[in-house]
Coordinates of all heavy atoms in Angstrom, one line a residue:
M1 N 36.0 55.8 23.1 CA 35.8 57.2 22.9 C 37.2 57.9 22.9 O 37.9 57.9 23.8 CB 35.0 57.9 24.0 CG 33.5 57.5 24.0 SD 32.7 58.3 22.6 CE 31.0 57.8 23.0
A2 N 37.5 58.5 21.7 CA 38.8 59.2 21.7 C 38.6 60.6 22.3 O 37.4 61.1 22.3 CB 39.2 59.4 20.2
G3 N 39.6 61.2 22.7 CA 39.5 62.5 23.4 C 39.3 63.6 22.4 O 40.1 64.5 22.2
H4 N 38.1 63.6 21.9 CA 37.8 64.7 21.0 C 37.1 65.8 21.7 O 35.8 65.9 21.8 CB 36.9 64.2 19.8 CG 37.5 64.4 18.5 ND1 38.5 63.7 18.0 CD2 37.2 65.3 17.5 CE1 38.8 64.1 16.8 NE2 38.1 65.1 16.5
G5 N 37.8 66.7 22.4 CA 37.3 67.6 23.3 C 36.4 68.7 22.6 O 35.4 69.1 23.2
W6 N 36.8 69.1 21.5 CA 36.0 70.2 20.9 C 35.7 69.9 19.4 O 36.4 69.1 18.8 CB 36.7 71.5 21.0 CG 37.9 71.6 20.1 CD1 38.0 72.1 18.9 CD2 39.3 71.1 20.4 NE1 39.3 72.0 18.4 CE2 40.1 71.4 19.3 CE3 39.8 70.5 21.5 CZ2 41.4 71.1 19.3 CZ3 41.2 70.2 21.5 CH2 42.0 70.5 20.4
S7 N 34.7 70.5 18.9 CA 34.3 70.2 17.5 C 35.0 71.2 16.6 O 34.7 72.4 16.7 CB 32.8 70.3 17.3 OG 32.4 71.6 17.4
D8 N 35.9 70.8 15.9 CA 36.7 71.7 15.0 C 36.3 71.6 13.6 O 37.0 72.1 12.7 CB 38.2 71.3 15.2 CG 39.1 72.5 14.8 OD1 38.6 73.6 14.5 OD2 40.3 72.3 14.7
D9 N 35.3 70.9 13.4 CA 34.9 70.6 12.0 C 33.6 71.2 11.5 O 32.8 70.6 10.8 CB 34.9 69.0 11.8 CG 34.0 68.4 12.8 OD1 33.5 69.1 13.7 OD2 33.8 67.2 12.8
D10 N 33.3 72.4 12.1 CA 32.2 73.1 11.6 C 32.3 73.3 10.1 O 33.3 73.7 9.6 CB 32.1 74.5 12.3 CG 31.6 74.3 13.7 OD1 31.2 73.2 14.1 OD2 31.7 75.3 14.5
D11 N 31.2 73.1 9.4 CA 31.2 73.4 8.0 C 31.5 74.9 7.7 O 30.7 75.7 8.2 CB 29.9 73.0 7.3 CG 30.0 71.6 6.8 OD1 31.0 70.9 7.0 OD2 29.0 71.1 6.1
E12 N 32.5 75.2 7.0 CA 32.8 76.6 6.7 C 32.1 77.0 5.4 O 32.7 76.8 4.4 CB 34.3 76.8 6.7 CG 34.7 77.8 7.8 CD 36.1 78.3 7.7 OE1 37.0 77.6 8.2 OE2 36.3 79.3 7.1
K13 N 30.9 77.5 5.6 CA 30.2 78.0 4.4 C 30.6 79.5 4.2 O 30.9 80.2 5.1 CB 28.7 77.9 4.6 CG 28.3 76.5 4.8 CD 26.8 76.3 4.4 CE 26.4 74.8 4.4 NZ 25.8 74.4 5.7
G14 N 30.7 79.8 2.9 CA 31.1 81.2 2.6 C 30.2 82.2 3.2 O 29.0 82.0 3.4
G15 N 30.7 83.3 3.6 CA 29.9 84.4 4.1 C 29.5 84.3 5.5 O 28.7 85.1 6.0
D16 N 30.2 83.5 6.3 CA 29.9 83.5 7.7 C 30.8 84.6 8.4 O 31.9 84.4 8.7 CB 30.3 82.1 8.3 CG 29.8 82.0 9.7 OD1 29.3 83.0 10.3 OD2 29.8 80.9 10.3
T17 N 30.2 85.7 8.6 CA 31.0 86.9 9.0 C 31.4 86.7 10.4 O 32.4 87.4 10.9 CB 30.1 88.1 8.9 OG1 28.9 87.9 9.6 CG2 29.9 88.5 7.5
K18 N 30.8 85.8 11.2 CA 31.2 85.6 12.6 C 32.6 85.0 12.7 O 33.3 85.1 13.7 CB 30.2 84.7 13.3 CG 28.9 85.4 13.5 CD 29.0 86.4 14.6 CE 27.6 87.0 14.9 NZ 27.6 88.0 15.9
D19 N 33.1 84.4 11.6 CA 34.4 83.8 11.7 C 35.5 84.8 11.2 O 36.7 84.4 11.1 CB 34.5 82.5 10.8 CG 33.8 81.4 11.5 OD1 33.7 81.5 12.7 OD2 33.5 80.4 10.9
K20 N 35.1 86.0 10.9 CA 36.0 86.9 10.3 C 37.0 87.3 11.4 O 36.7 87.6 12.5 CB 35.2 88.1 9.8 CG 36.1 89.1 9.0 CD 35.1 90.1 8.4 CE 35.9 91.1 7.6 NZ 35.0 92.2 7.1
K21 N 38.3 87.4 10.9 CA 39.3 87.9 11.8 C 39.7 89.3 11.5 O 39.8 89.7 10.3 CB 40.5 86.9 11.8 CG 40.5 85.8 12.7 CD 41.9 85.4 13.1 CE 41.9 84.4 14.3 NZ 43.2 84.2 14.9
F22 N 40.1 90.0 12.5 CA 40.5 91.4 12.3 C 42.0 91.5 12.9 O 42.3 90.9 13.8 CB 39.6 92.4 13.1 CG 38.2 92.4 12.6 CD1 37.3 91.4 13.0 CD2 37.8 93.2 11.6 CE1 36.0 91.4 12.5 CE2 36.5 93.2 11.1 CZ 35.6 92.3 11.6
F23 N 42.7 92.4 12.3 CA 44.1 92.5 12.7 C 44.4 94.0 13.1 O 45.6 94.3 13.2 CB 45.0 92.1 11.5 CG 44.9 90.6 11.3 CD1 44.0 90.1 10.4 CD2 45.6 89.7 12.1 CE1 43.8 88.7 10.2 CE2 45.5 88.3 11.9 CZ 44.6 87.8 10.9
E24 N 43.4 94.8 13.2 CA 43.6 96.1 13.8 C 42.3 96.6 14.2 O 41.2 96.1 13.8 CB 44.2 97.0 12.7 CG 43.3 97.2 11.5 CD 43.8 98.3 10.6 OE1 44.8 99.0 10.9 OE2 43.2 98.4 9.5
F25 N 42.3 97.6 15.1 CA 41.0 98.2 15.5 C 41.2 99.6 15.9 O 42.3 100.0 16.3 CB 40.4 97.4 16.7 CG 41.2 97.5 17.9 CD1 40.9 98.4 18.9 CD2 42.3 96.6 18.1 CE1 41.7 98.4 20.1 CE2 43.1 96.6 19.3 CZ 42.7 97.6 20.3
D26 N 40.2 100.4 15.9 CA 40.2 101.8 16.4 C 39.6 101.8 17.8 O 38.4 101.3 18.0 CB 39.4 102.7 15.5 CG 40.1 102.9 14.1 OD1 41.3 103.0 14.1 OD2 39.4 103.0 13.1
C27 N 40.3 102.2 18.7 CA 39.9 102.2 20.1 C 38.5 103.0 20.3 O 38.4 104.1 19.7 CB 40.9 102.9 21.0 SG 40.4 103.0 22.7
A28 N 37.6 102.4 21.0 CA 36.3 103.0 21.2 C 36.4 104.2 22.2 O 35.5 105.0 22.3 CB 35.3 102.0 21.7
S29 N 37.5 104.2 22.9 CA 37.6 105.2 24.0 C 38.4 106.4 23.5 O 38.0 107.5 23.7 CB 38.3 104.5 25.2 OG 38.4 105.5 26.2
C30 N 39.6 106.1 22.9 CA 40.5 107.3 22.5 C 40.6 107.4 21.0 O 41.3 108.3 20.6 CB 41.8 107.1 23.2 SG 42.9 105.9 22.5
N31 N 40.1 106.5 20.3 CA 40.1 106.5 18.8 C 41.4 106.2 18.2 O 41.6 106.3 17.0 CB 39.7 107.9 18.4 CG 38.4 107.9 17.5 OD1 37.9 106.8 17.2 ND2 38.0 109.0 17.0
A32 N 42.4 105.7 19.0 CA 43.7 105.4 18.4 C 43.6 104.1 17.6 O 42.8 103.2 17.9 CB 44.7 105.2 19.6
N33 N 44.4 104.0 16.6 CA 44.4 102.8 15.7 C 45.4 101.9 16.3 O 46.6 102.2 16.4 CB 44.7 103.2 14.3 CG 44.7 101.9 13.4 OD1 45.7 101.4 13.1 ND2 43.5 101.5 13.0
N34 N 45.0 100.7 16.6 CA 45.9 99.7 17.2 C 46.0 98.5 16.3 O 45.0 97.8 15.9 CB 45.3 99.1 18.5 CG 45.3 100.1 19.6 OD1 46.3 100.2 20.4 ND2 44.3 101.0 19.7
P35 N 47.2 98.2 15.9 CA 47.5 96.9 15.1 C 47.4 95.8 16.1 O 47.7 95.9 17.3 CB 48.9 97.1 14.6 CG 49.6 98.1 15.5 CD 48.5 99.0 16.1
W36 N 46.8 94.6 15.6 CA 46.7 93.5 16.5 C 47.1 92.2 15.7 O 46.3 91.5 15.1 CB 45.2 93.3 16.9 CG 45.1 92.5 18.2 CD1 44.8 91.2 18.3 CD2 45.2 93.0 19.5 NE1 44.7 90.8 19.6 CE2 45.0 91.9 20.4 CE3 45.5 94.2 20.1 CZ2 45.0 92.0 21.8 CZ3 45.6 94.3 21.5 CH2 45.3 93.2 22.3
P37 N 48.5 92.0 15.6 CA 49.0 91.0 14.7 C 48.5 89.6 14.9 O 48.5 88.8 14.0 CB 50.5 91.1 15.0 CG 50.7 92.4 15.7 CD 49.5 92.7 16.4
D38 N 48.1 89.2 16.1 CA 47.6 87.9 16.4 C 46.2 87.7 15.8 O 45.8 86.5 15.7 CB 47.6 87.6 17.9 CG 49.0 87.4 18.4 OD1 49.9 87.2 17.6 OD2 49.2 87.5 19.7
G39 N 45.6 88.7 15.5 CA 44.2 88.6 15.0 C 43.2 88.4 16.2 O 43.5 87.8 17.2
F40 N 42.0 89.0 16.0 CA 40.9 88.8 17.0 C 39.6 88.6 16.2 O 39.5 89.0 15.1 CB 40.9 89.9 18.0 CG 40.6 91.2 17.4 CD1 39.2 91.7 17.3 CD2 41.6 92.0 16.9 CE1 38.9 92.9 16.8 CE2 41.3 93.3 16.3 CZ 40.0 93.7 16.3
E41 N 38.6 88.1 16.9 CA 37.3 87.9 16.2 C 36.2 88.1 17.2 O 36.5 88.6 18.3 CB 37.3 86.4 15.7 CG 37.6 85.4 16.7 CD 37.9 84.0 16.0 OE1 38.1 84.0 14.8 OE2 37.9 83.0 16.8
D42 N 35.0 87.8 16.9 CA 33.9 88.1 17.7 C 34.1 87.6 19.1 O 34.5 86.5 19.3 CB 32.6 87.4 17.0 CG 31.3 87.9 17.6 OD1 31.3 89.1 18.0 OD2 30.4 87.1 17.8
E43 N 33.8 88.5 20.1 CA 33.8 88.2 21.5 C 35.2 88.1 22.1 O 35.4 87.7 23.2 CB 33.0 87.0 21.8 CG 31.5 87.2 21.5 CD 30.7 86.0 21.9 OE1 31.2 85.1 22.7 OE2 29.6 85.9 21.4
D44 N 36.2 88.4 21.3 CA 37.6 88.4 21.8 C 37.8 89.8 22.5 O 37.2 90.7 22.2 CB 38.6 88.3 20.7 CG 38.9 86.8 20.4 OD1 38.4 86.0 21.1 OD2 39.6 86.6 19.4
E45 N 38.7 89.7 23.5 CA 39.1 91.0 24.2 C 40.4 91.5 23.6 O 41.3 90.8 23.4 CB 39.2 90.7 25.7 CG 37.9 90.5 26.4 CD 38.1 90.2 27.8 OE1 39.2 90.4 28.4 OE2 37.2 89.6 28.4
V46 N 40.4 92.8 23.4 CA 41.6 93.5 23.0 C 41.9 94.7 23.9 O 41.0 95.2 24.6 CB 41.5 94.0 21.5 CG1 41.4 92.9 20.6 CG2 40.3 95.0 21.4
I47 N 43.1 95.1 24.0 CA 43.5 96.2 24.9 C 44.1 97.3 24.0 O 45.0 97.0 23.2 CB 44.5 95.7 26.0 CG1 43.8 94.7 26.9 CG2 45.0 96.9 26.8 CD1 44.8 93.9 27.8
C48 N 43.6 98.5 24.3 CA 44.2 99.6 23.6 C 45.6 99.9 24.1 O 45.8 100.1 25.3 CB 43.3 100.9 23.7 SG 44.0 102.3 23.0
H49 N 46.6 100.0 23.2 CA 47.9 100.2 23.6 C 48.1 101.7 24.1 O 49.2 102.0 24.7 CB 48.9 99.9 22.5 CG 48.9 98.5 22.1 ND1 49.2 97.5 22.9 CD2 48.6 97.9 20.9 CE1 49.1 96.3 22.3 NE2 48.7 96.5 21.1
Y50 N 47.2 102.5 23.8 CA 47.4 104.0 24.0 C 46.8 104.3 25.4 O 47.4 105.0 26.2 CB 46.8 104.8 22.9 CG 47.6 104.6 21.6 CD1 47.3 103.6 20.7 CD2 48.7 105.4 21.3 CE1 48.0 103.3 19.6 CE2 49.4 105.2 20.1 CZ 49.0 104.2 19.3 OH 49.7 104.0 18.1
C51 N 45.5 104.0 25.6 CA 44.8 104.4 26.8 C 44.6 103.3 27.8 O 44.2 103.5 28.9 CB 43.5 105.1 26.5 SG 42.2 104.0 25.8
G52 N 44.9 102.0 27.3 CA 44.8 100.9 28.3 C 43.4 100.4 28.4 O 43.2 99.5 29.2
S53 N 42.4 100.9 27.7 CA 41.0 100.3 27.8 C 41.0 98.9 27.3 O 41.6 98.5 26.3 CB 40.1 101.2 26.9 OG 39.9 102.5 27.5
T54 N 40.2 98.1 28.0 CA 39.9 96.7 27.6 C 38.6 96.8 26.8 O 37.6 97.3 27.4 CB 39.9 95.8 28.8 OG1 41.1 95.9 29.5 CG2 39.7 94.3 28.3
L55 N 38.6 96.2 25.6 CA 37.4 96.3 24.8 C 37.0 94.9 24.4 O 37.9 94.0 24.1 CB 37.7 97.1 23.6 CG 38.2 98.5 23.8 CD1 38.7 99.1 22.6 CD2 37.1 99.4 24.4
E56 N 35.7 94.6 24.3 CA 35.3 93.3 23.8 C 34.8 93.5 22.4 O 33.9 94.4 22.1 CB 34.2 92.8 24.7 CG 33.7 91.4 24.2 CD 32.6 90.9 25.1 OE1 32.8 90.4 26.2 OE2 31.4 91.1 24.7
A57 N 35.4 92.8 21.5 CA 35.0 92.9 20.1 C 33.6 92.2 19.8 O 33.3 91.2 20.3 CB 36.0 92.3 19.2
R58 N 32.8 92.9 19.1 CA 31.5 92.4 18.7 C 31.4 92.6 17.2 O 31.4 93.7 16.7 CB 30.4 93.2 19.4 CG 30.3 92.8 20.9 CD 29.8 91.4 21.0 NE 29.6 91.1 22.4 CZ 29.0 90.0 22.8 NH1 28.6 89.2 22.0 NH2 28.9 89.8 24.1
V59 N 31.2 91.5 16.5 CA 31.0 91.5 15.1 C 29.5 91.4 14.7 O 28.9 90.4 15.1 CB 31.8 90.4 14.3 CG1 31.7 90.6 12.8 CG2 33.3 90.5 14.7
S60 N 29.0 92.3 14.1 CA 27.6 92.3 13.7 C 27.3 91.3 12.6 O 28.3 90.8 12.0 CB 27.1 93.7 13.3 OG 27.6 94.0 12.0
D61 N 26.1 91.0 12.3 CA 25.7 90.1 11.3 C 26.2 90.6 9.9 O 26.4 89.8 9.0 CB 24.2 89.9 11.2 CG 23.7 89.1 12.4 OD1 24.6 88.4 13.0 OD2 22.5 89.2 12.7
E62 N 26.4 91.9 9.8 CA 26.9 92.4 8.5 C 28.4 92.4 8.5 O 29.0 92.9 7.5 CB 26.4 93.8 8.3 CG 24.9 94.0 8.2 CD 24.3 94.3 9.6 OE1 24.8 95.2 10.3 OE2 23.4 93.6 10.0
G63 N 29.0 91.9 9.5 CA 30.5 91.8 9.5 C 31.1 93.1 10.0 O 32.3 93.3 9.9
K64 N 30.3 94.0 10.6 CA 30.9 95.2 11.1 C 31.4 95.1 12.5 O 30.8 94.4 13.3 CB 29.8 96.3 11.1 CG 29.6 97.0 9.8 CD 28.8 98.2 9.9 CE 28.6 98.9 8.6 NZ 27.7 100.0 8.6
L65 N 32.5 95.7 12.8 CA 33.2 95.6 14.0 C 32.7 96.7 15.0 O 32.7 97.8 14.7 CB 34.7 95.7 13.8 CG 35.6 95.3 14.9 CD1 35.4 94.0 15.5 CD2 37.0 95.5 14.4
K66 N 32.3 96.2 16.2 CA 32.0 97.2 17.2 C 32.7 96.8 18.5 O 33.1 95.6 18.7 CB 30.5 97.1 17.5 CG 29.7 97.9 16.4 CD 28.2 98.0 16.9 CE 27.4 98.8 15.9 NZ 26.0 98.9 16.3
F67 N 32.8 97.7 19.5 CA 33.4 97.4 20.7 C 32.6 97.8 21.9 O 31.9 98.8 21.8 CB 34.8 98.1 20.8 CG 35.8 97.5 19.9 CD1 36.1 98.1 18.6 CD2 36.4 96.3 20.2 CE1 37.0 97.5 17.8 CE2 37.4 95.7 19.4 CZ 37.7 96.3 18.2
R68 N 32.7 97.0 22.9 CA 32.1 97.3 24.2 C 33.2 97.5 25.2 O 34.1 96.6 25.3 CB 31.2 96.1 24.6 CG 30.1 96.4 25.5 CD 29.2 95.2 25.6 NE 29.8 94.0 26.1 CZ 29.9 93.7 27.4 NH1 29.3 94.4 28.3 NH2 30.5 92.6 27.7
E69 N 33.2 98.6 25.9 CA 34.2 98.8 27.0 C 33.9 97.9 28.2 O 32.8 97.9 28.6 CB 34.3 100.2 27.4 CG 35.2 101.1 26.5 CD 35.4 102.5 27.1 OE1 36.1 102.6 28.0 OE2 34.7 103.4 26.5
I70 N 34.9 97.2 28.7 CA 34.6 96.3 29.8 C 35.7 96.6 30.9 O 36.6 97.4 30.7 CB 34.7 94.8 29.5 CG1 36.0 94.5 28.7 CG2 33.5 94.5 28.6 CD1 36.1 93.0 28.3
Ligands
LIG1 ZN1 42.4 103.8 23.5

């Protein structure tokens, strides 16, 4: 058994919005626009640089970005 810890070979079919990456977001708390050069995707946490809120990114099935304050 080779140490294949994770499955990295998911078939990437077109239109899987859950794999979409975002590189900026509008803060759900103060509405500031934050660039996020590293990119984030569904269920990643981001922090507003302006008000310090921690937000959990949620990508809907339609590929729409939403945030939950945590
Ligand atoms: Zn904010």
Side-chain angles (χ1 to χ4, degrees):
M1 287 290 184
H4 238 75
W6 70 94
S7 69
D8 202 6
D9 51 359
D10 288 349
D11 265 6
E12 242 191 275
K13 298 206 172 93
D16 191 351
T17 53
K18 290 286 183 184
D19 282 344
K20 191 170 177 183
K21 269 207 168 193
F22 297 86
F23 295 92
E24 61 171 356
F25 65 96
D26 290 324
C27 176
S29 181
C30 73
N31 238 1
N33 181 262
N34 289 269
W36 203 264
D38 289 342
F40 62 92
E41 53 196 13
D42 193 37
E43 294 183 20
D44 277 353
E45 287 176 19
V46 293
I47 296 168
C48 176
H49 295 302
Y50 293 88
C51 70
S53 291
T54 304
L55 306 165
E56 184 182 278
R58 289 291 184 169
V59 182
S60 72
D61 289 338
E62 299 93 49
K64 275 192 179 172
L65 188 56
K66 281 188 175 180
F67 287 100
R68 201 169 62 92
E69 274 188 76
I70 51 178

